[in-house]
Amino acid sequence: MSDKAQAVIEVKNLDITFKMPTGNVHALRGVDFTLRENEVLALVGESGCGKSVTAKAIMGILPENGMINSGEVVFHDGGESIDLLQKKISWRRKNINGSKISMIFQDPMTSLNPTMSIGAQLIVAIRNHEEITKKEAYARSLELLYEVGITDPERTMEQYPHQLSGGMRQRIVIAIALSCNPKVIICDEPTTALDVTIQNRILDLIQKIQRTRGISVIFITHNLGVVAKIADYVGVMYAGKIIEVGSIFDVFYDPRHPYTWGLLSAIPDVSDEKGELYSIPGTPPNLAKEIVGDAFAPRNPFALDIDFKAEPPLFKASGTHYVASWLMDERAPKVEMPDNLKERIASMKKEGLLYVEGRE
Amino acid sequence: MSKAENKKTKQVKTDQNVLLSVDDLCMYFDTKGKRVRASEHISFKINKGETFGLVGESGSGKSTIGKCIIGLNKATSGSIKFNGLELTGIKNRKEYKQKHNGIQMIFQDPMSSLNPKKQVGEIVREALVINHIGSSREEQEKIVAEIFTKVGIPTEYMNRYPKDFSGGQRQRIGIARALVVNPKLIIADECIAALDASVQAQIVNMLHHIKQETGTSFLFISHDLNMVRFLSDRIGVLHLGYLLETGTSDEIFKNPIHPYTKSLLAAIPRMNPVVQPEKIKVYDYSTSGIDYALGKWHDVEGTHRVWCTDLEYKEWGKQE
């Protein structure tokens, strides 16, 4: 099967501006990526880099001041290819949102209706998209709750959101997202509000559902540990662009962009020895101002002259690995990643080998 | 010198080293007919120049302890000693000011903890005014300028407002406000949770430097286990209001004894795509058969202590 045939969602050159009282904020500056069948793509980056805006554009739920300047979001569904951005919001709500692409948000308390019982919310979600009786919908709800690991579904159906813990609520949200058999689920920081033990269980659940149902997932997070656990592919975003994209192994074992280097070494891992944390100097750029050249250049210790003048294109590092940095140009000087990151990756690989051997 | 005397002097020495000691602290909130037990029998010590990390899931009572120390919560029972002075049962403002002098707090959300109507220089200077530091306005402004340089904010930004700064910069200002009065203890309640990874690293490095430079002690409250391990000398693990295990970072991370600590550590997402926590044995208090209320402290080695019953301690020791 070719790459094209497998693609579920293709985002092409997506460019979005927010109109603010103080001026325009250029939130997305040409985002390109492809989500393929049965694959988890993680979008990772710091706040304001455009992760959530990308998700909202795909869902058609941008706030009113969000203007789409250009770009396409092509959804491939059984031989049909639809550019979602060309369709009316009402059409997308009826035909796509919830039934083909559904979304899980960060805070389960705000995505659930506090005045409706869990059962009522599930049944409404199902009956909104399918014409079935309440009884059938009730039976389906029980199955869904069971699938998301709720041991006493009958009782949970009667309960209200405030009676449940954060982890349970997120399970309910996942059950609702699954209720109409979507092809794609977009998860926007679904575990950020949860504790580590609960986070781990929710990630296990999302992974299990993704594998058994064979759906595709866009997973938005700022936590690289979560990315390492769940993703097949990773897109690293910075200032409204994807600056490095590749398989999980490309990005974690062979990162090429200096920003990715910074991100990977800024977070301490359990296996690390104490010392100074590597930190990227400065702060992300203000997107209300026009950006000339590489947006990361002012924070980049390896920046070249051209970084301040022209925007780097996506260079191909390997079959699956693309990097937007002038350092990838063949004329650029050879720059190696910082030593502490090199050591870290080496020990990561070593630990990985031991781990795999230990399991075999 | 006899042996007993020798022991006594040693005892005094270690006591002098202790900056804060929390002893059998209980904090209950009485709401309509229902008592919420937020903290139960909490005991720990923070030495001078030491960082103590409190970890636990949300609702485990991390912030309650911090608030009890600073006096925002009135402890139900138990004692909190800071610099040898008892902080519980304070009757009036004067006594509060006198005894709490030297404790400062950094909050999670710098936007809501900085007055949006005041210039940031003024916000920091206010701390000096309240604590009667510096004789004139000029002198105070000089001290503020010094502290701004220390936390990495250009002094020409002193007359800007909180809204003009990024999250990381605001947190630096919050830290500057806490530092400006030369505190002995800083309570940092989730102070990096709202920041991005690259900025988090900057703030953590800065806190690390401040600690080494000024010898300030920190109570670092966080749910981020990696950061707690990175920043803390000693760690306390909280669950359901009980402090279950304390010890140095290495003691806790390399040799966890309590099943809750074990499950917590096993659940940390690793930065390695190959090595991941898979099916960890999920710790469920209600089915574990452990009753925290029956526990008492057991010394493992060094400063490493576990809160459990004698029987549990024996059992967990066997599994090692």
Side-chain angles (χ1 to χ4, degrees), chain A residues 195-209:
Chain A
D195 297 310
V196 275
T197 41
I198 317 282
Q199 163 172 288
N200 199 44
R201 289 156 85 172
I202 296 290
L203 291 178
D204 280 339
L205 174 68
I206 293 174
Q207 204 160 37
K208 191 188 102 197
I209 288 167

mmCIF file of all heavy atoms in Angstrom, chain A residues 195-209:
data_model
loop_
_atom_site.group_PDB
_atom_site.id
_atom_site.type_symbol
_atom_site.label_atom_id
_atom_site.label_comp_id
_atom_site.label_asym_id
_atom_site.label_seq_id
_atom_site.Cartn_x
_atom_site.Cartn_y
_atom_site.Cartn_z
ATOM 1 N N ASP A 195 -3.189 12.702 37.706
ATOM 2 C CA ASP A 195 -1.973 12.289 38.405
ATOM 3 C C ASP A 195 -1.252 11.198 37.632
ATOM 4 O O ASP A 195 -1.862 10.499 36.839
ATOM 5 C CB ASP A 195 -2.356 11.752 39.788
ATOM 6 C CG ASP A 195 -2.997 12.835 40.609
ATOM 7 O OD1 ASP A 195 -2.417 13.919 40.680
ATOM 8 O OD2 ASP A 195 -4.081 12.605 41.145
ATOM 9 N N VAL A 196 0.040 11.017 37.935
ATOM 10 C CA VAL A 196 0.837 10.084 37.130
ATOM 11 C C VAL A 196 0.275 8.679 37.064
ATOM 12 O O VAL A 196 0.254 8.071 35.994
ATOM 13 C CB VAL A 196 2.327 9.991 37.551
ATOM 14 C CG1 VAL A 196 3.127 11.073 36.906
ATOM 15 C CG2 VAL A 196 2.497 9.931 39.031
ATOM 16 N N THR A 197 -0.186 8.143 38.203
ATOM 17 C CA THR A 197 -0.687 6.764 38.159
ATOM 18 C C THR A 197 -1.937 6.670 37.288
ATOM 19 O O THR A 197 -2.088 5.740 36.502
ATOM 20 C CB THR A 197 -1.017 6.240 39.573
ATOM 21 O OG1 THR A 197 -1.642 7.285 40.307
ATOM 22 C CG2 THR A 197 0.207 5.784 40.296
ATOM 23 N N ILE A 198 -2.817 7.672 37.420
ATOM 24 C CA ILE A 198 -4.044 7.691 36.626
ATOM 25 C C ILE A 198 -3.679 7.959 35.166
ATOM 26 O O ILE A 198 -4.225 7.333 34.251
ATOM 27 C CB ILE A 198 -4.997 8.806 37.102
ATOM 28 C CG1 ILE A 198 -5.062 8.854 38.621
ATOM 29 C CG2 ILE A 198 -6.363 8.666 36.469
ATOM 30 C CD1 ILE A 198 -5.896 7.836 39.269
ATOM 31 N N GLN A 199 -2.732 8.866 34.945
ATOM 32 C CA GLN A 199 -2.289 9.186 33.593
ATOM 33 C C GLN A 199 -1.850 7.933 32.869
ATOM 34 O O GLN A 199 -2.224 7.666 31.733
ATOM 35 C CB GLN A 199 -1.125 10.178 33.667
ATOM 36 C CG GLN A 199 -0.327 10.279 32.379
ATOM 37 C CD GLN A 199 0.669 11.405 32.436
ATOM 38 O OE1 GLN A 199 0.319 12.572 32.379
ATOM 39 N NE2 GLN A 199 1.930 11.068 32.551
ATOM 40 N N ASN A 200 -1.062 7.122 33.580
ATOM 41 C CA ASN A 200 -0.541 5.910 32.985
ATOM 42 C C ASN A 200 -1.676 4.972 32.579
ATOM 43 O O ASN A 200 -1.646 4.363 31.513
ATOM 44 C CB ASN A 200 0.383 5.234 33.998
ATOM 45 C CG ASN A 200 1.302 4.246 33.348
ATOM 46 O OD1 ASN A 200 1.862 4.535 32.297
ATOM 47 N ND2 ASN A 200 1.428 3.089 33.947
ATOM 48 N N ARG A 201 -2.703 4.888 33.431
ATOM 49 C CA ARG A 201 -3.826 3.996 33.114
ATOM 50 C C ARG A 201 -4.637 4.521 31.937
ATOM 51 O O ARG A 201 -5.084 3.738 31.094
ATOM 52 C CB ARG A 201 -4.717 3.840 34.344
ATOM 53 C CG ARG A 201 -4.036 3.004 35.402
ATOM 54 C CD ARG A 201 -4.585 3.298 36.767
ATOM 55 N NE ARG A 201 -5.780 2.508 37.017
ATOM 56 C CZ ARG A 201 -6.357 2.471 38.232
ATOM 57 N NH1 ARG A 201 -5.860 3.151 39.220
ATOM 58 N NH2 ARG A 201 -7.435 1.751 38.417
ATOM 59 N N ILE A 202 -4.837 5.839 31.871
ATOM 60 C CA ILE A 202 -5.599 6.410 30.753
ATOM 61 C C ILE A 202 -4.817 6.225 29.444
ATOM 62 O O ILE A 202 -5.385 5.881 28.403
ATOM 63 C CB ILE A 202 -5.903 7.900 31.010
ATOM 64 C CG1 ILE A 202 -6.821 8.062 32.231
ATOM 65 C CG2 ILE A 202 -6.527 8.557 29.780
ATOM 66 C CD1 ILE A 202 -8.243 7.580 32.048
ATOM 67 N N LEU A 203 -3.494 6.414 29.508
ATOM 68 C CA LEU A 203 -2.685 6.208 28.298
ATOM 69 C C LEU A 203 -2.757 4.761 27.844
ATOM 70 O O LEU A 203 -2.893 4.481 26.649
ATOM 71 C CB LEU A 203 -1.223 6.596 28.564
ATOM 72 C CG LEU A 203 -0.949 8.083 28.761
ATOM 73 C CD1 LEU A 203 0.522 8.303 29.064
ATOM 74 C CD2 LEU A 203 -1.358 8.891 27.547
ATOM 75 N N ASP A 204 -2.689 3.836 28.815
ATOM 76 C CA ASP A 204 -2.830 2.412 28.476
ATOM 77 C C ASP A 204 -4.165 2.162 27.781
ATOM 78 O O ASP A 204 -4.243 1.424 26.808
ATOM 79 C CB ASP A 204 -2.759 1.550 29.747
ATOM 80 C CG ASP A 204 -1.319 1.334 30.201
ATOM 81 O OD1 ASP A 204 -0.417 1.493 29.363
ATOM 82 O OD2 ASP A 204 -1.116 1.020 31.385
ATOM 83 N N LEU A 205 -5.205 2.799 28.316
ATOM 84 C CA LEU A 205 -6.546 2.623 27.761
ATOM 85 C C LEU A 205 -6.623 3.152 26.328
ATOM 86 O O LEU A 205 -7.116 2.466 25.424
ATOM 87 C CB LEU A 205 -7.563 3.338 28.652
ATOM 88 C CG LEU A 205 -9.003 3.364 28.139
ATOM 89 C CD1 LEU A 205 -9.584 1.961 28.164
ATOM 90 C CD2 LEU A 205 -9.860 4.300 28.970
ATOM 91 N N ILE A 206 -6.107 4.375 26.114
ATOM 92 C CA ILE A 206 -6.155 4.959 24.770
ATOM 93 C C ILE A 206 -5.384 4.072 23.793
ATOM 94 O O ILE A 206 -5.834 3.785 22.686
ATOM 95 C CB ILE A 206 -5.574 6.399 24.780
ATOM 96 C CG1 ILE A 206 -6.502 7.323 25.590
ATOM 97 C CG2 ILE A 206 -5.404 6.934 23.358
ATOM 98 C CD1 ILE A 206 -5.973 8.720 25.797
ATOM 99 N N GLN A 207 -4.229 3.564 24.260
ATOM 100 C CA GLN A 207 -3.421 2.706 23.412
ATOM 101 C C GLN A 207 -4.158 1.399 23.067
ATOM 102 O O GLN A 207 -4.156 0.964 21.923
ATOM 103 C CB GLN A 207 -2.128 2.391 24.158
ATOM 104 C CG GLN A 207 -0.992 2.017 23.255
ATOM 105 C CD GLN A 207 0.335 2.190 23.972
ATOM 106 O OE1 GLN A 207 0.455 1.914 25.172
ATOM 107 N NE2 GLN A 207 1.332 2.655 23.260
ATOM 108 N N LYS A 208 -4.801 0.830 24.081
ATOM 109 C CA LYS A 208 -5.515 -0.431 23.870
ATOM 110 C C LYS A 208 -6.654 -0.236 22.860
ATOM 111 O O LYS A 208 -6.804 -1.017 21.920
ATOM 112 C CB LYS A 208 -6.077 -0.923 25.216
ATOM 113 C CG LYS A 208 -6.600 -2.346 25.179
ATOM 114 C CD LYS A 208 -7.314 -2.697 26.459
ATOM 115 C CE LYS A 208 -8.807 -2.637 26.257
ATOM 116 N NZ LYS A 208 -9.575 -2.574 27.490
ATOM 117 N N ILE A 209 -7.416 0.840 23.049
ATOM 118 C CA ILE A 209 -8.544 1.116 22.163
ATOM 119 C C ILE A 209 -8.048 1.389 20.752
ATOM 120 O O ILE A 209 -8.585 0.885 19.767
ATOM 121 C CB ILE A 209 -9.349 2.314 22.696
ATOM 122 C CG1 ILE A 209 -10.122 1.884 23.940
ATOM 123 C CG2 ILE A 209 -10.300 2.856 21.639
ATOM 124 C CD1 ILE A 209 -10.685 3.029 24.717
#
